[in-house]
Amino acid sequence: MNLDEKIKESLQAEQHNLESVLETDSGLFKQFTGIYRGKMRSWTVLGTMLAFILTAIFILSAYQYFNAEQIAQQLFWAVCFVSSLMMQIAVKLWLFMEMNRQSIIKEIKRSEFEIRLMLSEHSTSKIKNEVLI
């Protein structure tokens, strides 16, 4: 029974830590605007413009597909639609991966800071113990 209680206490402490991290975590829109800052800003802006251009192309392709009179034209516009849609999906995937990369970097830096704090507290307590001896 004692082991079960220790496991429950450990899980509750972990749950509390997870809730505190989730409360301080920024939302989706804040993370998305965060990718427009930093070293990758120009690539992110370029990717966003490319995504908008590809969106316009696949909407235009769909319109042209339904208005085409010949099979060859329909085939051309269908290929344009599918390829521009896939390229747009790839660009958006890259943008979300960039958001994830920045989030991971932020979490690593936060962990490094906590480790440094713990090490500095440990070293000061060790110095105090040596002084007392």
Side-chain angles (χ1 to χ4, degrees), residues 3-4 6 8 13-14 18 23 26 43 45 55 63 65 75-76 81-82 90 99 110 112 125:
L3 181 61
D4 290 338
K6 287 182 181 180
K8 285 180 184 178
E14 185 67 30
L18 181 62
E23 288 174 0
S26 57
W43 286 104
V45 170
T55 301
Y63 177 76
Y65 172 80
L75 183 63
F76 173 76
F81 174 79
V82 171
M99 276 180 14
R110 185 183 309 161
E112 286 176 352
S125 67

Side-chain angles (χ1 to χ4, degrees), residues 11 19 22 25 46 53 57 64 82 92 104-105 126:
L11 289 174
E19 288 173 359
L22 290 176
D25 198 19
L46 181 68
I53 291 169
I57 290 172
Q64 292 294 333
V82 171
K92 286 184 178 180
I104 289 172
I105 288 172
K126 187 176 180 182

Side-chain angles (χ1 to χ4, degrees), residues 86-100:
M86 291 177 68
M87 285 188 283
Q88 187 220 32
I89 289 170
V91 169
K92 286 184 178 180
L93 183 63
W94 178 79
L95 290 171
F96 277 96
M97 286 179 4
E98 183 65 22
M99 276 180 14
N100 188 35

Side-chain angles (χ1 to χ4, degrees), residues 4-124:
D4 290 338
E5 291 174 9
K6 287 182 181 180
I7 292 173
K8 285 180 184 178
E9 289 174 5
S10 174
L11 289 174
Q12 287 175 349
E14 185 67 30
Q15 179 71 21
H16 179 69
N17 290 338
L18 181 62
E19 288 173 359
S20 66
V21 167
L22 290 176
E23 288 174 0
T24 60
D25 198 19
S26 57
L28 178 66
F29 293 111
K30 191 171 184 180
Q31 286 181 3
F32 188 70
T33 57
I35 64 174
Y36 294 101
R37 296 183 210 116
K39 296 177 183 177
M40 297 290 286
R41 181 179 189 273
S42 58
W43 286 104
T44 306
V45 170
L46 181 68
T48 304
M49 288 190 305
L50 183 62
F52 280 120
I53 291 169
L54 289 169
T55 301
I57 290 172
F58 86 73
I59 290 172
L60 176 69
S61 298
Y63 177 76
Q64 292 294 333
Y65 172 80
F66 288 111
N67 289 329
E69 295 177 2
Q70 297 177 353
I71 302 267
Q73 289 177 342
Q74 283 184 333
L75 183 63
F76 173 76
W77 290 114
V79 168
C80 286
F81 174 79
V82 171
S83 60
S84 62
L85 183 63
M86 291 177 68
M87 285 188 283
Q88 187 220 32
I89 289 170
V91 169
K92 286 184 178 180
L93 183 63
W94 178 79
L95 290 171
F96 277 96
M97 286 179 4
E98 183 65 22
M99 276 180 14
N100 188 35
R101 184 184 71 85
Q102 287 188 358
S103 176
I104 289 172
I105 288 172
K106 182 180 175 182
E107 188 62 34
I108 288 172
K109 290 185 183 222
R110 185 183 309 161
S111 298
E112 286 176 352
F113 180 71
E114 287 182 17
I115 290 171
R116 285 183 185 158
L117 283 176
M118 290 171 57
L119 287 175
S120 67
E121 288 174 4
H122 178 70
S123 64
T124 57

